[in-house]
Amino acid sequence: MDVLLEFWARVSARNSPLPPATVWLTVAAAALLVLVPQAWKLTRHVITIVHEGGHGLVAALSGRRLQGIRLHSDTSGLTVSRGRPRGLGMVLTLLAGYTAPALLGLGAAWLLGRGHDVGLLWALLAALALLLVQIRNWFGLWSVLVTAAIVFGVTWFGTETVQSVFALLVTAFLLLGALRTVVELQRTRRRRGGTASDADQLARLSHLPGLFWVLVFFAVAGACLVGAARLLALA
């Protein structure tokens, strides 16, 4: 019982706010991780994990049968589920991928705004653990385990300041990374003409153009970024 109480005290502890200079430097570091090509090539795997996790979560919640998730070394991914090929469940499942990083970033900002920096890190660990059992390839397993190991290391061994900086870095990275992936999606669609992207699959289901769905993804990402900035008193 004492161990459980101690663990709960860790999870529910409130961190002190970071100095404004530290906050802006952390946000700038997150921007560099998104904007610098060499860094983005590596860190984009985190966005893919969240993207495919979003597909998987909504597929399960909408009554589809989740069969597994694959993550690839080129930062692409694939979530396989069984169910009706059309209908609301399928539409929501397709919508969930590109919106998941932004929505997770907004939720993370809500927790940070209330001082629950450590609670956010433990929540991320729990989500990674749930995702791990759905991974169906070795690279995906490796990606999730490495990500979880980094989050756990900071959560368990980091000082309060390190935990707060890391939690803010992850939050800002998710929000900014969500915008970049939508921009990349449209660039790929324009270069290849028609693709099997989420936007094009939604276009076939809804009879609305793929560009409409790209704009929906971008609007959600932008709204989440603005909302998170307000929650964190950055705007």
Side-chain angles (χ1 to χ4, degrees), residues 17-48:
L18 291 169
T22 303
V23 170
W24 285 111
L25 284 172
T26 303
V27 172
L32 288 175
L33 292 176
V34 172
L35 295 174
V36 176
Q38 294 83 354
W40 178 242
K41 187 176 180 179
L42 178 64
T43 59
R44 196 189 189 287
H45 289 288
V46 176
I47 299 294
T48 303

PDB file of all heavy atoms in Angstrom, residues 17-48:
ATOM      1  N   PRO A  17       5.966  26.188 -12.262  1.00  0.00           N
ATOM      2  CA  PRO A  17       6.067  26.717 -13.628  1.00  0.00           C
ATOM      3  C   PRO A  17       7.521  26.996 -14.007  1.00  0.00           C
ATOM      4  O   PRO A  17       8.332  27.414 -13.173  1.00  0.00           O
ATOM      5  CB  PRO A  17       5.253  28.014 -13.571  1.00  0.00           C
ATOM      6  CG  PRO A  17       4.353  27.858 -12.389  1.00  0.00           C
ATOM      7  CD  PRO A  17       5.105  27.034 -11.402  1.00  0.00           C
ATOM      8  N   LEU A  18       7.856  26.773 -15.250  1.00  0.00           N
ATOM      9  CA  LEU A  18       9.191  27.076 -15.747  1.00  0.00           C
ATOM     10  C   LEU A  18       9.343  28.585 -15.960  1.00  0.00           C
ATOM     11  O   LEU A  18       8.367  29.272 -16.276  1.00  0.00           O
ATOM     12  CB  LEU A  18       9.437  26.354 -17.071  1.00  0.00           C
ATOM     13  CG  LEU A  18       9.560  24.830 -17.010  1.00  0.00           C
ATOM     14  CD1 LEU A  18       9.522  24.262 -18.434  1.00  0.00           C
ATOM     15  CD2 LEU A  18      10.835  24.422 -16.306  1.00  0.00           C
ATOM     16  N   PRO A  19      10.558  29.099 -15.843  1.00  0.00           N
ATOM     17  CA  PRO A  19      10.787  30.521 -16.173  1.00  0.00           C
ATOM     18  C   PRO A  19      10.443  30.778 -17.640  1.00  0.00           C
ATOM     19  O   PRO A  19      10.651  29.912 -18.488  1.00  0.00           O
ATOM     20  CB  PRO A  19      12.288  30.699 -15.918  1.00  0.00           C
ATOM     21  CG  PRO A  19      12.670  29.582 -15.007  1.00  0.00           C
ATOM     22  CD  PRO A  19      11.778  28.437 -15.351  1.00  0.00           C
ATOM     23  N   PRO A  20       9.921  31.956 -17.957  1.00  0.00           N
ATOM     24  CA  PRO A  20       9.546  32.256 -19.345  1.00  0.00           C
ATOM     25  C   PRO A  20      10.673  32.022 -20.347  1.00  0.00           C
ATOM     26  O   PRO A  20      10.430  31.518 -21.451  1.00  0.00           O
ATOM     27  CB  PRO A  20       9.149  33.739 -19.284  1.00  0.00           C
ATOM     28  CG  PRO A  20       8.690  33.939 -17.882  1.00  0.00           C
ATOM     29  CD  PRO A  20       9.562  33.063 -17.046  1.00  0.00           C
ATOM     30  N   ALA A  21      11.887  32.376 -19.986  1.00  0.00           N
ATOM     31  CA  ALA A  21      13.009  32.179 -20.912  1.00  0.00           C
ATOM     32  C   ALA A  21      13.201  30.702 -21.223  1.00  0.00           C
ATOM     33  O   ALA A  21      13.455  30.316 -22.378  1.00  0.00           O
ATOM     34  CB  ALA A  21      14.289  32.766 -20.315  1.00  0.00           C
ATOM     35  N   THR A  22      13.072  29.854 -20.210  1.00  0.00           N
ATOM     36  CA  THR A  22      13.213  28.410 -20.415  1.00  0.00           C
ATOM     37  C   THR A  22      12.091  27.876 -21.296  1.00  0.00           C
ATOM     38  O   THR A  22      12.306  27.014 -22.146  1.00  0.00           O
ATOM     39  CB  THR A  22      13.198  27.681 -19.058  1.00  0.00           C
ATOM     40  OG1 THR A  22      14.250  28.207 -18.233  1.00  0.00           O
ATOM     41  CG2 THR A  22      13.408  26.181 -19.243  1.00  0.00           C
ATOM     42  N   VAL A  23      10.893  28.399 -21.086  1.00  0.00           N
ATOM     43  CA  VAL A  23       9.747  27.971 -21.898  1.00  0.00           C
ATOM     44  C   VAL A  23      10.000  28.273 -23.373  1.00  0.00           C
ATOM     45  O   VAL A  23       9.833  27.398 -24.237  1.00  0.00           O
ATOM     46  CB  VAL A  23       8.458  28.673 -21.426  1.00  0.00           C
ATOM     47  CG1 VAL A  23       7.314  28.423 -22.416  1.00  0.00           C
ATOM     48  CG2 VAL A  23       8.062  28.176 -20.039  1.00  0.00           C
ATOM     49  N   TRP A  24      10.411  29.488 -23.678  1.00  0.00           N
ATOM     50  CA  TRP A  24      10.612  29.868 -25.078  1.00  0.00           C
ATOM     51  C   TRP A  24      11.796  29.140 -25.702  1.00  0.00           C
ATOM     52  O   TRP A  24      11.758  28.780 -26.887  1.00  0.00           O
ATOM     53  CB  TRP A  24      10.785  31.380 -25.182  1.00  0.00           C
ATOM     54  CG  TRP A  24       9.481  32.101 -25.010  1.00  0.00           C
ATOM     55  CD1 TRP A  24       9.102  32.883 -23.964  1.00  0.00           C
ATOM     56  CD2 TRP A  24       8.378  32.090 -25.914  1.00  0.00           C
ATOM     57  NE1 TRP A  24       7.826  33.352 -24.142  1.00  0.00           N
ATOM     58  CE2 TRP A  24       7.356  32.893 -25.334  1.00  0.00           C
ATOM     59  CE3 TRP A  24       8.143  31.488 -27.145  1.00  0.00           C
ATOM     60  CZ2 TRP A  24       6.130  33.095 -25.963  1.00  0.00           C
ATOM     61  CZ3 TRP A  24       6.926  31.699 -27.769  1.00  0.00           C
ATOM     62  CH2 TRP A  24       5.932  32.497 -27.178  1.00  0.00           C
ATOM     63  N   LEU A  25      12.834  28.900 -24.921  1.00  0.00           N
ATOM     64  CA  LEU A  25      13.970  28.126 -25.448  1.00  0.00           C
ATOM     65  C   LEU A  25      13.540  26.693 -25.756  1.00  0.00           C
ATOM     66  O   LEU A  25      13.977  26.103 -26.753  1.00  0.00           O
ATOM     67  CB  LEU A  25      15.119  28.135 -24.435  1.00  0.00           C
ATOM     68  CG  LEU A  25      15.936  29.423 -24.347  1.00  0.00           C
ATOM     69  CD1 LEU A  25      16.913  29.353 -23.175  1.00  0.00           C
ATOM     70  CD2 LEU A  25      16.693  29.664 -25.656  1.00  0.00           C
ATOM     71  N   THR A  26      12.680  26.133 -24.920  1.00  0.00           N
ATOM     72  CA  THR A  26      12.192  24.768 -25.148  1.00  0.00           C
ATOM     73  C   THR A  26      11.313  24.701 -26.390  1.00  0.00           C
ATOM     74  O   THR A  26      11.429  23.775 -27.197  1.00  0.00           O
ATOM     75  CB  THR A  26      11.403  24.279 -23.917  1.00  0.00           C
ATOM     76  OG1 THR A  26      12.234  24.360 -22.749  1.00  0.00           O
ATOM     77  CG2 THR A  26      10.949  22.838 -24.107  1.00  0.00           C
ATOM     78  N   VAL A  27      10.446  25.684 -26.557  1.00  0.00           N
ATOM     79  CA  VAL A  27       9.613  25.741 -27.750  1.00  0.00           C
ATOM     80  C   VAL A  27      10.484  25.908 -28.996  1.00  0.00           C
ATOM     81  O   VAL A  27      10.233  25.283 -30.039  1.00  0.00           O
ATOM     82  CB  VAL A  27       8.586  26.887 -27.644  1.00  0.00           C
ATOM     83  CG1 VAL A  27       7.838  27.074 -28.962  1.00  0.00           C
ATOM     84  CG2 VAL A  27       7.600  26.609 -26.506  1.00  0.00           C
ATOM     85  N   ALA A  28      11.527  26.723 -28.894  1.00  0.00           N
ATOM     86  CA  ALA A  28      12.446  26.901 -30.024  1.00  0.00           C
ATOM     87  C   ALA A  28      13.158  25.591 -30.359  1.00  0.00           C
ATOM     88  O   ALA A  28      13.352  25.254 -31.537  1.00  0.00           O
ATOM     89  CB  ALA A  28      13.462  27.990 -29.701  1.00  0.00           C
ATOM     90  N   ALA A  29      13.530  24.833 -29.321  1.00  0.00           N
ATOM     91  CA  ALA A  29      14.173  23.532 -29.552  1.00  0.00           C
ATOM     92  C   ALA A  29      13.219  22.581 -30.261  1.00  0.00           C
ATOM     93  O   ALA A  29      13.617  21.836 -31.171  1.00  0.00           O
ATOM     94  CB  ALA A  29      14.627  22.944 -28.218  1.00  0.00           C
ATOM     95  N   ALA A  30      11.949  22.594 -29.867  1.00  0.00           N
ATOM     96  CA  ALA A  30      10.944  21.747 -30.536  1.00  0.00           C
ATOM     97  C   ALA A  30      10.800  22.147 -31.993  1.00  0.00           C
ATOM     98  O   ALA A  30      10.679  21.291 -32.878  1.00  0.00           O
ATOM     99  CB  ALA A  30       9.600  21.863 -29.812  1.00  0.00           C
ATOM    100  N   ALA A  31      10.822  23.450 -32.264  1.00  0.00           N
ATOM    101  CA  ALA A  31      10.723  23.926 -33.644  1.00  0.00           C
ATOM    102  C   ALA A  31      11.904  23.444 -34.476  1.00  0.00           C
ATOM    103  O   ALA A  31      11.749  23.062 -35.636  1.00  0.00           O
ATOM    104  CB  ALA A  31      10.639  25.455 -33.663  1.00  0.00           C
ATOM    105  N   LEU A  32      13.091  23.443 -33.880  1.00  0.00           N
ATOM    106  CA  LEU A  32      14.270  22.953 -34.595  1.00  0.00           C
ATOM    107  C   LEU A  32      14.141  21.467 -34.916  1.00  0.00           C
ATOM    108  O   LEU A  32      14.537  21.018 -36.000  1.00  0.00           O
ATOM    109  CB  LEU A  32      15.530  23.215 -33.769  1.00  0.00           C
ATOM    110  CG  LEU A  32      15.983  24.674 -33.662  1.00  0.00           C
ATOM    111  CD1 LEU A  32      17.173  24.787 -32.711  1.00  0.00           C
ATOM    112  CD2 LEU A  32      16.335  25.221 -35.036  1.00  0.00           C
ATOM    113  N   LEU A  33      13.593  20.701 -33.988  1.00  0.00           N
ATOM    114  CA  LEU A  33      13.401  19.268 -34.231  1.00  0.00           C
ATOM    115  C   LEU A  33      12.455  19.022 -35.402  1.00  0.00           C
ATOM    116  O   LEU A  33      12.543  17.992 -36.082  1.00  0.00           O
ATOM    117  CB  LEU A  33      12.849  18.591 -32.978  1.00  0.00           C
ATOM    118  CG  LEU A  33      13.796  18.508 -31.773  1.00  0.00           C
ATOM    119  CD1 LEU A  33      13.072  17.895 -30.581  1.00  0.00           C
ATOM    120  CD2 LEU A  33      15.034  17.703 -32.113  1.00  0.00           C
ATOM    121  N   VAL A  34      11.550  19.970 -35.639  1.00  0.00           N
ATOM    122  CA  VAL A  34      10.589  19.835 -36.729  1.00  0.00           C
ATOM    123  C   VAL A  34      11.125  20.419 -38.036  1.00  0.00           C
ATOM    124  O   VAL A  34      10.889  19.864 -39.112  1.00  0.00           O
ATOM    125  CB  VAL A  34       9.256  20.525 -36.349  1.00  0.00           C
ATOM    126  CG1 VAL A  34       8.300  20.578 -37.534  1.00  0.00           C
ATOM    127  CG2 VAL A  34       8.598  19.795 -35.181  1.00  0.00           C
ATOM    128  N   LEU A  35      11.871  21.507 -37.944  1.00  0.00           N
ATOM    129  CA  LEU A  35      12.271  22.236 -39.143  1.00  0.00           C
ATOM    130  C   LEU A  35      13.603  21.798 -39.736  1.00  0.00           C
ATOM    131  O   LEU A  35      13.806  21.914 -40.947  1.00  0.00           O
ATOM    132  CB  LEU A  35      12.326  23.736 -38.831  1.00  0.00           C
ATOM    133  CG  LEU A  35      10.989  24.392 -38.471  1.00  0.00           C
ATOM    134  CD1 LEU A  35      11.193  25.829 -38.055  1.00  0.00           C
ATOM    135  CD2 LEU A  35      10.011  24.303 -39.631  1.00  0.00           C
ATOM    136  N   VAL A  36      14.522  21.327 -38.900  1.00  0.00           N
ATOM    137  CA  VAL A  36      15.828  20.899 -39.403  1.00  0.00           C
ATOM    138  C   VAL A  36      15.687  19.517 -40.032  1.00  0.00           C
ATOM    139  O   VAL A  36      15.288  18.563 -39.344  1.00  0.00           O
ATOM    140  CB  VAL A  36      16.875  20.875 -38.274  1.00  0.00           C
ATOM    141  CG1 VAL A  36      18.213  20.320 -38.792  1.00  0.00           C
ATOM    142  CG2 VAL A  36      17.069  22.275 -37.705  1.00  0.00           C
ATOM    143  N   PRO A  37      15.985  19.370 -41.319  1.00  0.00           N
ATOM    144  CA  PRO A  37      15.744  18.091 -42.011  1.00  0.00           C
ATOM    145  C   PRO A  37      16.401  16.887 -41.351  1.00  0.00           C
ATOM    146  O   PRO A  37      15.777  15.828 -41.233  1.00  0.00           O
ATOM    147  CB  PRO A  37      16.325  18.344 -43.409  1.00  0.00           C
ATOM    148  CG  PRO A  37      16.232  19.824 -43.595  1.00  0.00           C
ATOM    149  CD  PRO A  37      16.470  20.412 -42.241  1.00  0.00           C
ATOM    150  N   GLN A  38      17.648  17.033 -40.912  1.00  0.00           N
ATOM    151  CA  GLN A  38      18.342  15.888 -40.309  1.00  0.00           C
ATOM    152  C   GLN A  38      17.668  15.453 -39.008  1.00  0.00           C
ATOM    153  O   GLN A  38      17.573  14.252 -38.720  1.00  0.00           O
ATOM    154  CB  GLN A  38      19.814  16.241 -40.041  1.00  0.00           C
ATOM    155  CG  GLN A  38      20.638  16.472 -41.291  1.00  0.00           C
ATOM    156  CD  GLN A  38      20.501  17.886 -41.851  1.00  0.00           C
ATOM    157  OE1 GLN A  38      19.686  18.683 -41.364  1.00  0.00           O
ATOM    158  NE2 GLN A  38      21.296  18.185 -42.866  1.00  0.00           N
ATOM    159  N   ALA A  39      17.220  16.425 -38.226  1.00  0.00           N
ATOM    160  CA  ALA A  39      16.529  16.094 -36.975  1.00  0.00           C
ATOM    161  C   ALA A  39      15.145  15.515 -37.255  1.00  0.00           C
ATOM    162  O   ALA A  39      14.727  14.523 -36.644  1.00  0.00           O
ATOM    163  CB  ALA A  39      16.412  17.337 -36.094  1.00  0.00           C
ATOM    164  N   TRP A  40      14.436  16.128 -38.205  1.00  0.00           N
ATOM    165  CA  TRP A  40      13.073  15.681 -38.524  1.00  0.00           C
ATOM    166  C   TRP A  40      13.058  14.253 -39.040  1.00  0.00           C
ATOM    167  O   TRP A  40      12.123  13.497 -38.777  1.00  0.00           O
ATOM    168  CB  TRP A  40      12.461  16.642 -39.527  1.00  0.00           C
ATOM    169  CG  TRP A  40      11.086  16.298 -39.990  1.00  0.00           C
ATOM    170  CD1 TRP A  40      10.697  16.003 -41.262  1.00  0.00           C
ATOM    171  CD2 TRP A  40       9.886  16.243 -39.193  1.00  0.00           C
ATOM    172  NE1 TRP A  40       9.340  15.756 -41.315  1.00  0.00           N
ATOM    173  CE2 TRP A  40       8.816  15.906 -40.062  1.00  0.00           C
ATOM    174  CE3 TRP A  40       9.624  16.452 -37.844  1.00  0.00           C
ATOM    175  CZ2 TRP A  40       7.508  15.762 -39.607  1.00  0.00           C
ATOM    176  CZ3 TRP A  40       8.317  16.308 -37.388  1.00  0.00           C
ATOM    177  CH2 TRP A  40       7.280  15.970 -38.256  1.00  0.00           C
ATOM    178  N   LYS A  41      14.080  13.880 -39.780  1.00  0.00           N
ATOM    179  CA  LYS A  41      14.153  12.522 -40.321  1.00  0.00           C
ATOM    180  C   LYS A  41      14.093  11.483 -39.201  1.00  0.00           C
ATOM    181  O   LYS A  41      13.536  10.393 -39.385  1.00  0.00           O
ATOM    182  CB  LYS A  41      15.439  12.364 -41.121  1.00  0.00           C
ATOM    183  CG  LYS A  41      15.548  11.049 -41.876  1.00  0.00           C
ATOM    184  CD  LYS A  41      16.810  11.014 -42.712  1.00  0.00           C
ATOM    185  CE  LYS A  41      16.923   9.699 -43.479  1.00  0.00           C
ATOM    186  NZ  LYS A  41      18.153   9.652 -44.317  1.00  0.00           N
ATOM    187  N   LEU A  42      14.646  11.826 -38.053  1.00  0.00           N
ATOM    188  CA  LEU A  42      14.630  10.911 -36.908  1.00  0.00           C
ATOM    189  C   LEU A  42      13.392  11.102 -36.040  1.00  0.00           C
ATOM    190  O   LEU A  42      12.704  10.144 -35.694  1.00  0.00           O
ATOM    191  CB  LEU A  42      15.899  11.123 -36.068  1.00  0.00           C
ATOM    192  CG  LEU A  42      16.032  10.273 -34.805  1.00  0.00           C
ATOM    193  CD1 LEU A  42      16.134   8.788 -35.160  1.00  0.00           C
ATOM    194  CD2 LEU A  42      17.259  10.709 -34.003  1.00  0.00           C
ATOM    195  N   THR A  43      13.094  12.347 -35.706  1.00  0.00           N
ATOM    196  CA  THR A  43      12.008  12.604 -34.749  1.00  0.00           C
ATOM    197  C   THR A  43      10.621  12.371 -35.346  1.00  0.00           C
ATOM    198  O   THR A  43       9.656  12.193 -34.595  1.00  0.00           O
ATOM    199  CB  THR A  43      12.086  14.046 -34.223  1.00  0.00           C
ATOM    200  OG1 THR A  43      11.997  14.968 -35.329  1.00  0.00           O
ATOM    201  CG2 THR A  43      13.395  14.284 -33.478  1.00  0.00           C
ATOM    202  N   ARG A  44      10.528  12.358 -36.680  1.00  0.00           N
ATOM    203  CA  ARG A  44       9.231  12.137 -37.301  1.00  0.00           C
ATOM    204  C   ARG A  44       8.641  10.771 -36.934  1.00  0.00           C
ATOM    205  O   ARG A  44       7.431  10.574 -36.990  1.00  0.00           O
ATOM    206  CB  ARG A  44       9.340  12.250 -38.831  1.00  0.00           C
ATOM    207  CG  ARG A  44       7.982  12.421 -39.505  1.00  0.00           C
ATOM    208  CD  ARG A  44       8.086  12.303 -41.013  1.00  0.00           C
ATOM    209  NE  ARG A  44       6.846  12.664 -41.685  1.00  0.00           N
ATOM    210  CZ  ARG A  44       5.745  11.922 -41.708  1.00  0.00           C
ATOM    211  NH1 ARG A  44       5.723  10.760 -41.074  1.00  0.00           N
ATOM    212  NH2 ARG A  44       4.668  12.329 -42.334  1.00  0.00           N
ATOM    213  N   HIS A  45       9.500   9.823 -36.535  1.00  0.00           N
ATOM    214  CA  HIS A  45       8.998   8.521 -36.113  1.00  0.00           C
ATOM    215  C   HIS A  45       8.024   8.657 -34.936  1.00  0.00           C
ATOM    216  O   HIS A  45       7.084   7.874 -34.811  1.00  0.00           O
ATOM    217  CB  HIS A  45      10.157   7.600 -35.719  1.00  0.00           C
ATOM    218  CG  HIS A  45      10.983   7.143 -36.883  1.00  0.00           C
ATOM    219  ND1 HIS A  45      10.524   6.223 -37.806  1.00  0.00           N
ATOM    220  CD2 HIS A  45      12.237   7.479 -37.283  1.00  0.00           C
ATOM    221  CE1 HIS A  45      11.450   5.998 -38.712  1.00  0.00           C
ATOM    222  NE2 HIS A  45      12.505   6.748 -38.437  1.00  0.00           N
ATOM    223  N   VAL A  46       8.262   9.645 -34.081  1.00  0.00           N
ATOM    224  CA  VAL A  46       7.357   9.866 -32.944  1.00  0.00           C
ATOM    225  C   VAL A  46       5.968  10.267 -33.442  1.00  0.00           C
ATOM    226  O   VAL A  46       4.950   9.778 -32.931  1.00  0.00           O
ATOM    227  CB  VAL A  46       7.929  10.942 -32.002  1.00  0.00           C
ATOM    228  CG1 VAL A  46       6.939  11.249 -30.872  1.00  0.00           C
ATOM    229  CG2 VAL A  46       9.270  10.492 -31.433  1.00  0.00           C
ATOM    230  N   ILE A  47       5.928  11.143 -34.444  1.00  0.00           N
ATOM    231  CA  ILE A  47       4.645  11.547 -35.008  1.00  0.00           C
ATOM    232  C   ILE A  47       3.942  10.349 -35.637  1.00  0.00           C
ATOM    233  O   ILE A  47       2.720  10.189 -35.515  1.00  0.00           O
ATOM    234  CB  ILE A  47       4.839  12.661 -36.056  1.00  0.00           C
ATOM    235  CG1 ILE A  47       5.465  13.901 -35.418  1.00  0.00           C
ATOM    236  CG2 ILE A  47       3.511  13.010 -36.717  1.00  0.00           C
ATOM    237  CD1 ILE A  47       4.604  14.592 -34.398  1.00  0.00           C
ATOM    238  N   THR A  48       4.719   9.481 -36.299  1.00  0.00           N
ATOM    239  CA  THR A  48       4.120   8.285 -36.908  1.00  0.00           C
ATOM    240  C   THR A  48       3.514   7.372 -35.845  1.00  0.00           C
ATOM    241  O   THR A  48       2.433   6.809 -36.041  1.00  0.00           O
ATOM    242  CB  THR A  48       5.177   7.508 -37.716  1.00  0.00           C
ATOM    243  OG1 THR A  48       5.741   8.384 -38.700  1.00  0.00           O
ATOM    244  CG2 THR A  48       4.558   6.304 -38.402  1.00  0.00           C
TER     245      THR A  48
END
